[in-house]
Amino acid sequence: MKNKKGHRLDKLIENYLENESPDSESHLLDKFAEDFRQKLDWDEEQMGNKAEIATDIWQKVSRHQIQDHRKTIRYRQIRVGISIAASLILIVGLSFWLQKPAYKTELFSMETGEKMDSLKLPDGSVIFLSPDTRICYNNDFNMKSREVELGKGNAFFKVAHNPEKPFIITSGAIKTKVVGTSFNIHMGTDGYRVTVHTGKVNVASASESVNLVPLQEAGYSIKDGHLSVNRVSKEDISPWYNQDITLTDQSLKTILDLVEKKFGMEAVRVSPQVLNLRATVFIAREATLESVLQQINYITNLKMETHGKEISCKN
């Protein structure tokens, strides 16, 4: 069956080209063409004057198709020529339009002060930030990709599962890539640590890449640029960010690692002998760094103290 709408449109165009259209139809087609032309996103600086180019194309098509104005010329050929010219203008215009961003990209940044805080991203992922920690991401996050930057400090990530858009965190010289899991990233003075709680995590530097599973930790040394993988205990991945914690008969290394994460410290300068000591401590959710160190000093008879963003021991 012949398309009646297509037939009416063909007839309308034929009448228009032969100057046989009623004024109302001519006015309608003229208005449609002008409206369409005005809506085209045209960059005159790169593409030239739109009106001049359209006129030039029209004149060339007209000279080629109807220069003799003989009745043997079929109006279908004219319509094809006009369609090609219009398509060329539309394609060129669209190619420039598609290269332009839909909106201006802006950088969002969140930095904590003396207390921890949390951030929920547009994809549903949640980041818990230790004190003195900075996280950044663009306003187009989760549109085509999920990328953030941990500028400093310590953060625990609960990443929403999405295999189509891997979640990528840049932290100094390493990139951490996941599709949906939970893990901790700590940026210290001497290097960085990525500790996995659930799921699978890829950590890569400029020259190395390692895959981690739960209860594994990747350590990156700033000094030699090397990535290492170590086994950790359940206590090493204790949820420091949202609840009270009791560490029973644990090494001082495990205790101080958690203190380092919870309070956003950058280094622990303690001898290996001290780190091997064992203790039981209770760390309340709202505890201060000073109160925790006082508790450790009381239990162990040590003299833990802070110097800037570092924890050290006089003993």
Side-chain angles (χ1 to χ4, degrees):
M1 179 180 291
K2 195 170 183 179
N3 189 314
K4 293 183 179 181
K5 290 184 177 178
H7 177 74
R8 289 198 299 270
L9 181 59
D10 286 348
K11 186 63 177 175
L12 185 66
I13 294 173
E14 287 177 3
N15 291 340
Y16 180 83
L17 291 172
E18 204 168 5
N19 294 322
E20 294 180 359
S21 298
D23 291 342
S24 58
E25 292 181 358
S26 297
H27 177 72
L28 182 64
L29 285 173
D30 287 339
K31 187 177 186 306
F32 173 82
E34 179 61 19
D35 288 347
F36 182 79
R37 185 182 69 83
Q38 293 294 339
K39 288 178 182 178
L40 284 177
D41 189 4
W42 190 274
D43 189 334
E44 291 200 356
E45 183 177 348
Q46 299 185 53
M47 300 168 62
N49 185 277
K50 181 168 60 176
E52 292 176 1
I53 291 176
T55 301
D56 183 60
I57 293 174
W58 171 260
Q59 289 175 348
K60 289 178 180 178
V61 172
S62 299
R63 285 198 300 270
H64 178 71
Q65 298 287 356
I66 58 174
Q67 59 184 348
D68 296 330
H69 201 52
R70 293 176 298 185
K71 291 184 179 180
T72 55
I73 295 179
R74 301 171 64 184
Y75 284 106
R76 183 175 298 275
Q77 293 176 315
I78 299 174
R79 290 197 305 275
V80 170
I82 295 170
S83 298
I84 292 173
S87 297
L88 287 173
I89 296 173
L90 181 59
I91 290 170
V92 173
L94 284 175
S95 68
F96 279 84
W97 178 77
L98 290 172
Q99 291 175 12
K100 295 182 179 180
Y103 54 89
K104 183 179 179 180
T105 301
E106 296 180 359
L107 183 67
F108 292 159
S109 177
M110 178 178 178
E111 184 168 347
T112 54
E114 296 181 355
K115 294 184 178 181
M116 68 180 67
D117 206 341
S118 62
L119 170 68
K120 187 170 185 179
L121 295 171
D123 68 332
S125 298
V126 180
I127 306 175
F128 297 90
L129 309 175
S130 297
D132 198 25
T133 296
R134 182 175 66 247
I135 196 84
C136 304
Y137 64 98
N138 288 330
N139 61 339
D140 61 355
F141 177 88
N142 199 39
M143 289 185 178
K144 291 184 179 180
S145 62
R146 300 190 293 171
E147 297 187 33
V148 301
E149 179 181 357
L150 181 62
K152 64 175 182 176
N154 177 79
F156 189 91
F157 295 79
K158 287 187 175 182
V159 175
H161 187 75
N162 187 345
E164 302 299 322
K165 297 177 185 176
F167 196 106
I168 301 173
I169 306 100
T170 299
S171 48
I174 63 172
K175 285 184 182 291
T176 303
K177 182 178 180 180
V178 303
V179 295
T181 181
S182 59
F183 55 96
N184 197 98
I185 299 181
H186 177 269
M187 299 185 70
T189 304
D190 303 324
Y192 321 124
R193 301 197 309 271
V194 180
T195 312
V196 181
H197 187 257
T198 62
K200 297 179 180 180
V201 174
N202 174 263
V203 180
S205 65
S207 58
E208 297 177 279
S209 177
V210 296
N211 293 314
L212 307 176
V213 295
L215 299 181
Q216 283 189 327
E217 179 178 87
Y220 176 82
S221 170
I222 293 177
K223 183 177 180 180
D224 59 23
H226 177 61
L227 270 176
S228 61
V229 178
N230 301 299
R231 185 79 178 174
V232 297
S233 66
K234 290 183 179 179
E235 287 73 22
D236 289 312
I237 56 173
S238 298
W240 55 264
Y241 48 87
N242 67 352
Q243 65 184 50
D244 299 341
I245 300 171
T246 299
L247 296 175
T248 306
D249 190 26
Q250 295 298 315
S251 70
L252 208 55
K253 180 183 184 304
T254 294
I255 295 170
L256 290 177
D257 279 350
L258 188 141
V259 171
E260 190 179 22
K261 294 173 184 174
K262 182 177 179 65
F263 298 102
M265 304 302 286
E266 294 181 353
V268 174
R269 308 295 185 191
V270 178
S271 67
Q273 293 82 0
V274 170
L275 291 178
N276 288 331
L277 296 175
R278 304 186 75 82
T280 297
V281 299
F282 170 76
I283 304 176
R285 184 179 185 276
E286 300 298 331
T288 64
L289 175 59
E290 290 73 19
S291 68
V292 174
L293 292 182
Q294 286 175 7
Q295 182 184 174
I296 294 174
N297 289 338
Y298 178 79
I299 295 170
T300 62
N301 199 32
L302 296 171
K303 291 183 179 179
M304 294 282 178
E305 57 186 17
T306 60
H307 298 279
K309 299 296 292 180
E310 296 185 357
I311 299 174
S312 62
C313 182
K314 288 185 176 181
N315 298 52

